[in-house]
Amino acid sequence: MQTSQAPLSDRVLVVDDDPTVAEIVTGYLDSAGYTVDRAADGNTALERAEAHWPDMVVLDLMLPGMDGLEVCRLLRGRGPVPVVMLTARGEEDDRILGLEVGADDYVTKPFSPRELVLRVESVLRRSSARNNTGPLLKAAGIVLDPVGRRATKNGQELSLTLREFDLLAYLLRNPGQAFSREYLMREVWGWEFGDLSTVTVHVRRLRGKVEDDPAHPRLITTVWGVGYRCDTAAGE
């Protein structure tokens, strides 16, 4: 499968303590047109990010000292940046932990380097403001700007990850419609197949940020046996 050439401005930070994996990933990303920085541990990754803020981070979960989860938390605390998490174990708990701390995607080792490049391209493409157009979206005190990729609730800025933003935007654009997790994975993530718990985790995280009472959601509701629906009349 051919991959498109990335814009020269796209900088990817690869964080993996396995030199072979790091070299292979770096080689494929470099061939795809990305500028690549490398780090073998969490502290070095944070230093590299501080020196040259990346457009994307490919982050191994299992790192010496500071693990990938902590690195992801610290990076997300410094500013918005898409993160693709690598995990060797591939267990559901590990994947969910990565998503819970703000990773936008994950790839389980062993993986195809070409698949990883396609995942990176997909996440970067969706994070680019130039690919998001349309009027402001408003519901239940929420104002979402697709072009500026900014969202507020009752005037307060919402700290949303890339996928959370895209998921909220998609639901707000299609009020009153019930969508299955499979459908949302295809339309929001761009995946034809994958772990459906990814959608579940993101809905839970999103509810925690946009609902007045996440335990009793009124904006993003569950349609039993189907999936989720956005009820834009909530809070009116």
Side-chain angles (χ1 to χ4, degrees):
M1 183 178 296
Q2 296 296 317
T3 59
S4 58
Q5 288 294 305
L8 294 177
S9 60
D10 284 340
R11 178 182 294 272
V12 181
L13 174 59
V14 176
V15 188
D16 199 308
D17 63 321
D18 185 326
T20 301
V21 172
E23 184 174 349
I24 292 173
V25 171
T26 297
Y28 271 83
L29 290 172
D30 181 71
S31 296
Y34 296 97
T35 299
V36 185
D37 290 333
R38 283 173 54 176
D41 58 71
N43 287 323
T44 303
L46 295 174
E47 291 173 0
R48 295 283 170 82
E50 190 72 26
H52 298 285
W53 190 252
D55 297 291
M56 157 72 70
V57 179
V58 176
L59 179 62
D60 189 22
L61 176 64
M62 301 298 293
L63 293 170
M66 185 190 308
D67 66 19
L69 295 175
E70 183 62 19
V71 175
C72 187
R73 288 190 189 98
L74 292 172
L75 284 171
R76 294 291 308 174
R78 295 183 182 186
V81 59
V83 175
V84 173
M85 190 79 77
L86 303 179
T87 170
R89 291 179 291 189
E91 297 174 356
E92 184 176 4
D93 288 347
D94 294 331
R95 298 195 297 269
I96 290 177
L97 279 173
L99 296 171
E100 289 282 11
V101 298
D104 298 287
D105 203 344
Y106 66 86
V107 177
T108 303
K109 295 180 180 178
F111 57 84
S112 161
R114 289 187 179 87
E115 178 190 355
L116 177 60
V117 171
L118 290 173
R119 291 288 184 94
V120 168
E121 289 177 346
S122 173
V123 172
L124 280 171
R125 185 169 58 249
R126 288 171 180 268
S127 70
S128 173
R130 63 180 176 270
N131 290 303
N132 294 275
T133 59
L136 296 179
L137 302 170
K138 301 179 181 180
I142 294 170
V143 178
L144 186 145
D145 178 4
V147 177
R149 294 196 68 84
R150 181 172 180 264
T152 60
K153 178 177 173 61
N154 299 326
Q156 298 297 311
E157 192 87 19
L158 291 173
S159 178
L160 302 178
T161 68
L162 165 67
R163 296 299 192 188
E164 289 166 358
F165 187 96
D166 288 346
L167 178 59
L168 179 59
Y170 190 84
L171 292 172
L172 289 175
R173 285 192 180 105
N174 298 279
Q177 298 184 50
F179 298 108
S180 67
R181 292 187 300 169
E182 292 91 343
Y183 188 90
L184 290 172
M185 177 165 284
R186 182 169 62 252
E187 295 300 314
V188 178
W189 276 258
W191 302 354
E192 290 298 329
F193 58 89
D195 185 352
L196 295 180
S197 65
T198 299
V199 178
T200 306
V201 170
H202 278 79
V203 169
R204 183 168 66 244
R205 283 179 54 87
L206 189 55
R207 282 172 169 168
K209 297 178 181 182
V210 303
E211 298 282 359
D212 293 330
D213 181 2
H216 300 90
R218 298 182 61 197
L219 178 63
I220 304 174
T221 58
T222 297
V223 181
W224 298 108
V226 180
Y228 305 103
R229 181 182 62 226
C230 179
D231 292 323
T232 54
E236 294 183 357

